[in-house]
Amino acid sequence: MSLLSVIVPCYNEEENVEFFYTELMKNADFFAKKGVELEIIYVDDGSGDRTVPEIKRLREEDERIHLVAFSRNFGKEAAMFAGMENAKGDYVVIMDVDLQDPPALLPEMFTYLEQGYDSVATRRVSRKGEPPVRSFFARRFYRLMKKISKTEIMDGARDYRIMTRQMVSAILSMREYNRFTKGIFGWVGFRTKWLEYENVERLKGETKWNFWKLFLYSLDGIAAFSTVPLMFASVMGVLFCIVAFLLIIFIIVRKLIFGDPVSGWPSLVCFILMTSGVQFFCTGILGQYLAKTYMEVKNRPIYLVREQF
Ligand code: UDP
Ligand code: MG
């Protein structure tokens, strides 16, 4: 017998906990036939509602259900990491509790693992039901990442992914504090099969991500998987030097030919303003990376557990 660990991050999801369980168990027969046992690890990310009592109620009926409850909200990244750390399975799959990651895909995903893939990942091909502005910026983000990062990050990739123990160990060996799992999956490599599906809307409750949160998350992603922004300062510096040099030559020549009076201080002010603007911007970028480095150096735990079974 082998074991499949299903990791389910939950944050204020009291309405979805049981539905998810019911839907997931529709695959139980398939896995039983394959000789695969299931364990379900709900990771409660500091919910303030009845998520934990709901999980406990389910546990009374099914011993295969486990809980890792955080001491506060640490974010989905931390929840996924905690799930992987506590999973005992030979295979591990990460799924959202709101059924946006259809459990019906699991048999197909597992079949690919049997064929020798190390991981089977999913991506949405449509963003139906999502605000257009969000889709627009999401697309821009993935396009930008493609240019400035060597790590492959797929457009529309979900965190819904099944992996072998070997790949999970690789991911667990990356103990960075600023976690951007979509990048980490790509960074560790291994043979990955991509499955595509149409976007499914959330079962109950509301998304925990607003535009601003997603925007900050995308900046985290950039800082975690690219150092290209740091080069921006050097490139701008060189560019400005060249422009300045050409201007100096222009002014000297003009002086020699026309005996120029001292005019043109408004243009000078513009230049000074612009260069100092660019300097502030670059200092800001430096600051971002410094802040990230600061948090890493502190070496804080990624999550803290309040309760576990
Ligand atoms: N989630 C979490 N911690 C958070 C935010 C979200 O564990 O701080 C969980 C949430 O319960 C859900 C999954 O992450 O199972 C995806 O969240 P959500 O559905 O809000 O995101 P979306 O699908 O809209 O991207
Ligand atoms: Mg969702």
Side-chain angles (χ1 to χ4, degrees):
M1 282 300 250
S2 52
L3 180 68
L4 169 66
S5 306
V6 183
I7 296 170
V8 200
C10 307
Y11 179 46
N12 293 337
E13 302 276 10
E14 55 182 11
E15 297 155 300
N16 294 325
V17 168
E18 188 173 355
F19 272 115
F20 174 82
Y21 174 74
T22 320
E23 282 299 312
L24 180 72
M25 281 308 157
K26 289 184 182 163
N27 295 307
D29 277 350
F30 171 84
F31 284 108
K33 271 191 211 121
K34 295 266 178 191
V36 178
E37 284 184 69
L38 294 177
E39 74 168 353
I40 305 166
I41 305 173
Y42 285 103
V43 184
D44 175 67
D45 190 6
S47 300
D49 65 356
R50 297 195 39 81
T51 302
V52 173
E54 279 290 305
I55 296 167
K56 286 185 176 159
R57 196 173 55 79
L58 285 179
R59 158 79 177 204
E60 276 165 23
E61 288 152 32
D62 192 340
E63 288 270 298
R64 295 172 294 178
I65 291 176
H66 299 272
L67 168 76
V68 180
F70 287 177
S71 60
R72 64 167 169 87
N73 180 247
F74 280 87
K76 189 187 175 189
E77 292 291 338
M80 290 190 286
F81 184 78
M84 284 189 265
E85 257 193 343
N86 289 284
K88 293 178 211 70
D90 310 287
Y91 311 102
V92 169
V93 63
I94 301 174
M95 300 174 81
D96 285 4
V97 72
D98 59 6
L99 291 178
Q100 280 193 298
D101 299 333
L105 273 179
L106 268 179
E108 190 187 349
M109 290 166 82
F110 187 78
T111 313
Y112 281 110
L113 279 194
E114 287 181 317
Q115 288 174 13
Y117 283 100
D118 302 299
S119 146
V120 184
T122 58
R123 59 186 284 258
R124 309 185 279 186
V125 278
S126 72
R127 287 176 171 271
K128 184 171 54 104
E130 195 184 58
V133 189
R134 182 172 302 182
S135 307
F136 175 80
F137 279 101
R139 292 239 157 75
R140 291 285 95 67
F141 168 73
Y142 286 110
R143 191 144 334 143
L144 179 70
M145 275 312 250
K146 198 166 231 148
K147 287 206 184 97
I148 65 174
S149 175
K150 288 197 191 89
T151 305
E152 189 191 24
I153 298 168
M154 276 274 197
D155 185 2
R158 307 266 319 160
D159 295 324
Y160 185 17
R161 182 186 282 257
I162 190 167
M163 293 162 278
T164 58
R165 171 52 51 186
Q166 192 187 16
M167 180 157 171
V168 174
S169 305
I171 292 169
L172 287 174
S173 71
M174 297 175 76
R175 298 203 55 92
E176 59 213 73
Y177 184 81
N178 296 290
R179 299 191 76 77
F180 186 68
T181 303
K182 286 189 172 79
I184 292 177
F185 286 145
W187 194 91
V188 296
F190 294 100
R191 272 161 51 84
T192 300
K193 168 83 188 167
W194 285 91
L195 295 184
E196 297 181 346
Y197 69 94
E198 293 280 323
N199 191 28
V200 184
E201 286 190 44
R202 160 183 263 284
L203 180 69
K204 294 233 170 80
E206 272 178 17
T207 173
K208 273 74 195 177
W209 299 87
N210 57 32
F211 185 78
W212 182 240
K213 259 181 146 177
L214 275 174
F215 178 70
L216 293 180
Y217 184 56
S218 72
L219 292 188
D220 278 351
I222 292 174
F225 281 92
S226 171
T227 47
V228 169
L230 285 174
M231 250 163 57
F232 182 79
S234 324
V235 173
M236 283 313 260
V238 172
L239 217 71
F240 273 56
C241 284
I242 294 172
V243 172
F245 184 69
L246 293 178
L247 276 175
I248 290 169
I249 293 178
F250 171 74
I251 287 166
I252 292 175
V253 170
R254 194 171 63 167
K255 165 79 185 164
L256 290 179
I257 299 175
F258 301 108
D260 178 44
V262 188
S263 69
W265 80 268
S267 53
L268 201 66
V269 170
C270 293
F271 269 115
I272 291 174
L273 270 183
M274 189 169 95
T275 43
S276 58
V278 171
Q279 278 174 5
F280 272 129
F281 183 65
C282 294
T283 320
I285 293 176
L286 276 179
Q288 284 301 315
Y289 280 91
L290 184 66
K292 299 276 175 225
T293 314
Y294 179 57
M295 290 313 287
E296 293 295 347
V297 167
K298 283 190 184 205
N299 216 349
R300 287 182 179 166
I302 296 167
Y303 64 93
L304 290 172
V305 173
R306 201 194 71 227
E307 192 181 356
Q308 185 168 16
F309 53 71

